[in-house]
Each structure stands twice: as structure tokens, then as C-alpha cells.
């Protein structure tokens, strides 16, 4: 009798497991059938103020449907300059695509156009991931810029592109940015991807590479300068894809603004093919200049909006500045002998 009861319990367990497997199979078939009956909805175009080629491609989410066959990769136009050449000649970089109507870091189409018309050719863009892991131009998810979007309500790509910034400015996806770069072959883009965690970095850059492949515009990465924020992030990014132009941005790396610290960063850059360094303007010391020359590592400063300060810094050995609002005409060097001195106060480690 004991053996019979034990055997009965085993049989009941087998039946239970079998029933669970059947239920799981039924649910899987049901979900698949639902997906076939309700294909992913096509995202709308961007607002009508975007260029035609941007409008035609905005809002498409490659993960929402089976990946289409990739187009043939377009060839880089003969004579097109590299992003690094454009950046080092420009002298200034428009922060967040430049200020528009007194508002900084909107990363909008109108800001790009205004700055470009005034002679700006180097642009920094802030990049974020949407809820469906697509890359868009956005400094942060603060509330008030787009209806219904905030740090606790991150949008999908479709939602982001459908809601004008401050009710009037055109938001841009990374694909839109690539299309702008194709239309304006004399500009370079400096990326600000914000995060250093390996998982997020990987998602961001894989999505960026996928967008470029789907447009056949991968060659445009030669006109980008990729900001990295520490040694680990550089290794992660370069393992995903080797970019020609990197710049080491120090604001999240514990930099102490000493000669010793600067030499360590410059040596790391030289050893790893990183072409420049970016730091806060108040970290700059003319004592860094000999190290810049020794390792051939130019320095860029952020964020400077005063014309006189910008001219002074550029006259002290800095290669360029990031700015919200300055334009090239405001960077005309002052007359000889009028450059103000930059702090050379010895710091710890100097």
C-alpha cells in the first residue's frame, strides 16, 4: 500500500508537469499569432520643419519588425575631411547643437541650422536611449521640455519624435543626425553619450552602429569624434567598434587638475590612439602646455560663453572650446599684448 501511494504521487506529478508544458506551448502559439495579426505600428514622421530626407526616415524603430535587408553602403565622398581635422580647425564646438532662442542644450534641428548659418562647423550632441533602446538627441529627461516626458516617463522613439521640444522645436533621432551630416558634409559631430556603465554603453553604440548600417551611412563615423570618460569606457567602446577619432573627457574621471594627473591622462591617450582631452575651463593651466606638446595631445575646454574669456583661453594654448552661444566671428584674436594671464598657481603634484 505504501508503494502504491508513492507511485500515485509520482504519477500525479508527471501529469502536472505535462499539463504545465502544454499550457506554456499554447500561450507561446497565442502570442505568436497575436503578433502576426497585429504587426508593429509604423512610427510617424518628425514635425514638418525637418529636412525632407530627415522626415522620411525619422521614427523608424528597427526592433519593432523583422530587420530589413541592409542597403548598400554609400562611399565616402572624395576629399571629405575627417572629423578631427574639422574640429581642430573650428576653434569652437556648439554644445548641444547650439543655443536656440536663449535656450541651451535642446539638441534640436533649429539650433543646428542657426549655428551653421553663423559659421559653426563643429557640433557636440547629447545622446540618450529611449524606452525601446533607440538613440535620440536629448541632454536629459527633465520634465517640461516635451509633453508627458520626464525622468519617470521616458518615451519610446515614436513618442519622442512626435512631441516638439518646448512645443515648437524639432527633436532628432540619431538617424536624423546622420542624415544631417550627409546633407552638410563640412561639419563634424562630437558625441556625448553620458554613461560609462558597460551595459548601457554597449546598447548605445550598438544602436548607433545599427542605425548607420540601415541608412548605408557608416562612413559618417569618420566625421565623428567619440567622447570617452574613463579608461574602461574607452576599452568597451573600442571593443564594439574601432572609431578613428576619440577624445578623453575628464569631468567624471576624478581629475585633480595637477600636472601629474594631466601627464597620466596625456600618456594614456598617446598610448591608445586617443587624439585629445576635454576638461572644465577652470581646470586649465598653462603648465599643461609642454605636456600637450610632448604627447601631441590638444586640449579643449567646456563650457565657455564669454567672448573675452574664450579669446584669452585660445590665446593661452587651448585648441578649442565648447560653447552654447559663441560664433566664429566672436573669436577674432585680440591685439598683441592684450591676452590676460591664466592661473599658474602651483597645485598638489606640480
Amino acid at each position: 500500500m505504501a508503494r502504491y501511494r508513492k507511485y500515485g504521487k509520482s504519477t500525479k506529478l508527471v501529469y502536472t508537469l505535462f499539463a504545465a508544458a502544454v499550457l506554456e506551448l499554447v500561450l507561446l502559439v497565442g502570442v505568436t499569432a497575436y503578433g502576426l495579426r497585429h504587426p508593429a505600428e509604423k512610427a510617424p514622421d518628425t514635425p514638418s520643419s525637418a529636412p525632407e530626407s530627415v522626415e522620411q526616415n525619422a521614427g523608424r524603430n528597427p526592433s519593432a519588425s523583422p530587420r530589413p535587408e541592409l542597403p548598400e553602403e554609400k562611399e565616402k565622398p572624395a576629399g571629405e575631411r575627417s572629423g578631427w581635422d574639422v574640429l581642430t580647425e573650428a576653434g569652437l564646438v556648439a554644445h548641444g547643437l547650439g543655443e536656440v532662442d536663449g535656450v541651451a542644450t535642446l539638441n534640436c534641428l533649429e539650433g543646428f541650422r542657426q549655428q551653421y548659418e553663423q559659421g559653426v562647423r563643429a557640433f557636440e550632441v547629447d545622446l540618450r536611449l529611449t524606452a525601446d533602446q533607440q538613440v535620440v538627441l536629448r541632454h536629459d529627461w527633465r520634465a517640461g521640455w516635451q509633453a508627458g516626458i520626464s525622468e519617470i516617463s521616458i518615451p519610446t522613439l515614436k513618442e519622442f519624435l512626435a512631441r516638439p521640444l518646448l512645443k515648437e522645436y524639432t527633436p532628432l533621432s540619431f538617424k536624423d543626425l546622420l542624415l544631417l551630416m550627409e546633407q552638410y558634409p563640412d561639419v563634424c559631430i562630437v558625441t556625448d553619450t553620458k554613461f560609462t556603465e558597460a551595459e548601457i554603453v554597449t546598447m548605445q553604440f550598438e544602436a548607433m552602429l545599427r542605425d548607420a548600417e540601415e541608412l548605408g551611412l557608416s562612413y559618417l563615423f569618420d566625421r565623428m569624434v567619440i567622447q570617452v570618460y574613463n579608461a574602461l569606457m574607452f576599452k568597451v567602446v573600442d571593443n564594439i567598434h574601432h572609431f578613428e577619432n576619440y577624445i578623453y573627457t575628464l569631468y567624471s574621471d576624478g581629475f585633480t587638475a595637477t600636472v601629474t594627473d594631466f601627464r597620466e591622462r596625456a600618456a594614456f591617450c598617446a598610448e591608445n590612439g586617443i587624439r585629445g582631452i576635454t576638461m572644465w575651463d577652470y581646470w586649465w593651466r598653462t603648465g599643461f602646455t609642454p605636456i600637450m606638446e610632448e604627447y601631441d595631445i590638444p586640449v579643449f575646454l567646456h563650457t565657455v560663453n564669454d567672448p573675452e574669456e574664450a579669446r584669452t583661453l585660445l590665446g593661452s594654448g587651448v585648441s578649442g572650446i565648447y560653447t552654447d552661444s559663441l560664433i566664429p566671428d566672436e573669436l577674432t584674436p585680440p591685439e598683441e599684448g592684450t591676452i590676460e594671464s591664466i592661473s599658474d598657481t602651483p597645485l598638489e603634484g606640480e
Side-chain angles (χ1 to χ4, degrees):
M1 181 66 69
R3 286 196 302 270
Y4 177 78
R5 285 197 298 268
K6 183 177 180 180
Y7 177 78
K9 291 179 181 177
S10 300
T11 303
K12 185 175 181 180
L13 177 61
V14 171
Y15 287 156
T16 301
L17 293 174
F18 178 75
V22 171
L23 179 59
E24 182 177 357
L25 178 61
V26 170
L27 290 173
L28 179 60
V29 171
V31 170
T32 303
Y34 179 86
L36 294 174
R37 293 195 304 270
H38 300 80
E41 182 181 354
K42 181 181 177 182
D45 294 336
T46 51
S48 58
S49 57
E52 180 178 356
S53 56
V54 174
E55 287 180 344
Q56 292 171 348
N57 287 274
R60 296 180 183 175
N61 180 358
S63 65
S65 59
R67 186 172 180 177
E69 183 178 349
L70 295 177
E72 183 177 352
E73 178 68 25
K74 298 178 182 180
E75 293 187 6
K76 180 179 179 178
E80 184 168 295
R81 302 174 68 201
S82 73
W84 191 253
D85 288 341
V86 175
L87 176 64
T88 52
E89 183 179 298
L92 60 77
V93 183
H95 181 215
L97 286 187
E99 183 179 279
V100 55
D101 298 333
V103 184
T105 67
L106 280 179
N107 291 275
C108 65
L109 178 63
E110 292 78 9
F112 171 84
R113 284 177 168 168
Q114 286 186 22
Q115 297 297 317
Y116 185 87
E117 290 170 0
Q118 297 182 88
V120 176
R121 294 297 180 266
F123 296 84
E124 185 250 22
V125 297
D126 302 299
L127 301 175
R128 291 273 175 172
L129 283 169
T130 60
D132 49 348
Q133 297 180 6
Q134 304 303 305
V135 178
V136 297
L137 277 60
R138 177 83 188 226
H139 185 274
D140 54 73
W141 294 118
R142 72 185 72 177
W145 275 8
Q146 289 173 286
I149 292 175
S150 68
E151 292 181 351
I152 60 173
S153 183
I154 297 174
T156 63
L157 175 63
K158 175 182 174 181
E159 292 167 342
F160 174 80
L161 293 175
R163 303 175 188 184
L165 291 153
L166 300 179
K167 300 182 179 180
E168 59 179 310
Y169 303 114
T170 309
L172 298 169
S173 69
F174 188 72
K175 275 189 175 180
D176 296 333
L177 176 66
L178 292 170
L179 292 168
L180 280 175
M181 293 181 69
E182 183 183 27
Q183 294 170 39
Y184 295 84
D186 56 343
V187 306
C188 83
I189 296 295
V190 181
T191 66
D192 187 355
T193 51
K194 303 295 182 186
F195 296 97
T196 59
E197 295 85 350
E199 296 83 358
I200 299 178
V201 169
T202 299
M203 285 191 291
Q204 284 180 311
F205 280 90
E206 286 183 347
M208 291 158 62
L209 291 165
R210 182 176 62 245
D211 282 349
E213 289 178 356
E214 292 183 355
L215 294 174
L217 293 174
S218 297
Y219 78 87
L220 289 174
F221 284 115
D222 290 343
R223 270 200 283 128
M224 289 191 184
V225 179
I226 308 299
Q227 288 192 137
V228 294
Y229 312 115
N230 57 41
L232 177 59
M233 180 189 174
F234 167 71
K235 298 297 184 183
V236 171
V237 172
D238 203 57
N239 186 59
I240 297 169
H241 178 84
H242 174 69
F243 296 95
E244 290 299 318
N245 307 306
Y246 289 102
I247 192 166
Y248 196 152
T249 301
L250 303 180
Y251 67 76
S252 65
D253 192 32
F255 182 60
T256 60
T258 65
V259 165
T260 299
D261 247 8
F262 182 75
R263 179 177 293 279
E264 290 179 359
R265 303 308 195 283
F268 177 83
C269 291
E271 292 168 4
N272 289 278
I274 299 174
R275 308 188 72 169
I277 288 174
T278 302
M279 66 177 71
W280 293 111
D281 58 325
Y282 50 81
W283 281 346
W284 169 248
R285 299 289 184 274
T286 53
F288 297 160
T289 303
I291 303 172
M292 290 170 52
E293 296 172 350
E294 177 183 351
Y295 290 98
D296 191 23
I297 300 294
V299 169
F300 298 79
L301 305 180
H302 60 93
T303 303
V304 180
N305 292 318
D306 178 74
E308 184 176 346
E309 181 188 0
R311 291 192 296 266
T312 298
L313 291 168
L314 290 169
S316 71
V318 172
S319 298
I321 61 167
Y322 294 58
T323 180
D324 296 316
S325 57
L326 297 180
I327 59 175
D329 286 348
E330 296 177 286
L331 299 184
T332 303
E335 295 180 4
E336 186 176 355
T338 63
I339 296 177
E340 297 180 3
S341 62
I342 302 296
S343 173
D344 284 307
T345 303
L347 299 176
E348 182 181 353
E350 295 186 311

